[in-house]
Amino acid sequence: YTLQDPPAWKNTNGWLSDVDECTEWKGIFCTSRGQVYQISLENNGLTGALPPELAMLQQLEILDCTTNLLYMEGPQLEPLGKLSNLKTLLLDDNYITTNHGLPDFLSQLSHLEKLRLSYNLLDGTLSEDTLGALTKLTHLEVESNFLQGSIPPAFGQMTSLVYAYMRRNALTVNLEDFVTPDSNLMSLFALWLDDNTLVGSIPTEIGLVTSLASLSLTDGNLVGS
């Protein structure tokens, strides 16, 4: 944030002043040692791209910039991969842009637990490698994007995953691709895949996902009984 960057944020309390950034700056939260561990600037009129210097905040665990006007693509996203302690990344309802599915930097965030990228401009297919790297992920929310192709088998091995919201994309979903006798979705509570192209049938192995309480498959083309 600088005074020269239009338009102004909705709330700039404390920023660019002499007050203590850990206690007085809007959206900044620090540890007892003065290290920033959380940035929460949701719905605050942010524009442009997040600065690459953000990667210097090595203790950052939570980054919430939901519902802003951020436009980021390619190299602008790469510094986020340096946030090795990040657990929560909320960037839904912005203009995060890719043409190859989920952003590549996500595969570097081995501690990530909650990811929200719904209502952005994600195009392309989901990567087996990226999903396979997110071993601690509990929340995956990528609704209302332009994702294509199938859901890779690595999805079926996301043992920590609790919520998966992937509605309103251009995916071609066959449950048999990732719900198999070898899948390990032991924590999955909600799986929403509405408004994609749903093919095939509901495999009997879905009964092995005993934690599943909410399965939404409306507006698909499932077959069988």
Side-chain angles (χ1 to χ4, degrees):
Y1 168 73
T2 68
L3 293 177
Q4 290 77 33
D5 284 346
W9 293 0
K10 293 181 181 179
N11 187 333
T12 61
N13 287 352
W15 286 74
L16 297 185
S17 70
D18 294 330
V19 300
D20 179 39
E21 61 270 19
C22 286
T23 58
E24 301 294 336
W25 284 27
K26 160 69 177 175
I28 301 297
F29 302 86
C30 299
T31 67
S32 59
R33 301 179 63 182
Q35 298 168 310
V36 177
Y37 75 90
Q38 178 175 345
I39 298 176
S40 295
L41 293 169
E42 65 277 10
N43 193 23
N44 202 41
L46 277 63
T47 60
L50 296 174
E53 291 82 2
L54 195 67
M56 299 173 64
L57 301 178
Q58 286 298 295
Q59 299 305 313
L60 192 66
E61 296 183 5
I62 301 171
L63 177 59
D64 183 358
C65 293
T66 301
T67 312
N68 282 288
L69 297 170
L70 295 174
Y71 182 89
M72 300 177 67
E73 62 179 344
Q76 295 171 320
L77 292 167
E78 292 176 4
L80 297 178
K82 305 297 184 182
L83 297 171
S84 57
N85 286 302
L86 198 65
K87 295 181 179 180
T88 298
L89 178 60
L90 311 180
L91 292 174
D92 36 324
D93 199 11
N94 280 286
Y95 297 92
I96 309 302
T97 303
T98 71
N99 59 10
H100 51 272
L102 296 176
D104 292 335
F105 75 86
L106 291 173
S107 62
Q108 302 174 57
L109 302 180
S110 59
H111 295 288
L112 194 64
E113 298 175 1
K114 188 171 185 177
L115 174 64
R116 289 199 335 226
L117 287 172
S118 296
Y119 305 100
N120 276 288
L121 300 172
L122 307 183
D123 201 343
T125 59
L126 294 170
S127 164
E128 176 92 0
D129 292 339
T130 300
L131 289 179
L134 298 173
T135 57
K136 295 185 178 180
L137 201 68
T138 62
H139 289 66
L140 174 62
E141 302 185 26
V142 290
E143 296 184 328
S144 296
N145 280 285
F146 303 91
L147 296 171
Q148 305 170 28
S150 61
I151 297 177
F155 182 85
Q157 301 302 319
M158 300 182 75
T159 57
S160 299
L161 193 63
V162 178
Y163 300 99
Y165 300 138
M166 308 170 75
R167 300 182 298 179
R168 294 187 290 272
N169 278 284
L171 294 166
T172 300
V173 180
N174 188 336
L175 293 174
E176 295 174 326
D177 288 342
F178 57 88
V179 180
T180 70
D182 298 323
S183 62
N184 204 6
L185 293 166
M186 61 178 63
S187 303
L188 190 64
F189 178 84
L191 176 62
W192 292 3
L193 297 168
D194 316 65
D195 293 307
N196 287 288
T197 300
L198 306 178
V199 299
S201 59
I202 299 177
T204 57
E205 288 82 5
I206 198 75
L208 300 176
V209 189
T210 56
S211 58
L212 188 63
S214 179
L215 175 64
S216 189
L217 303 171
T218 59
D219 297 323
N221 299 296
L222 294 170
V223 298
S225 59

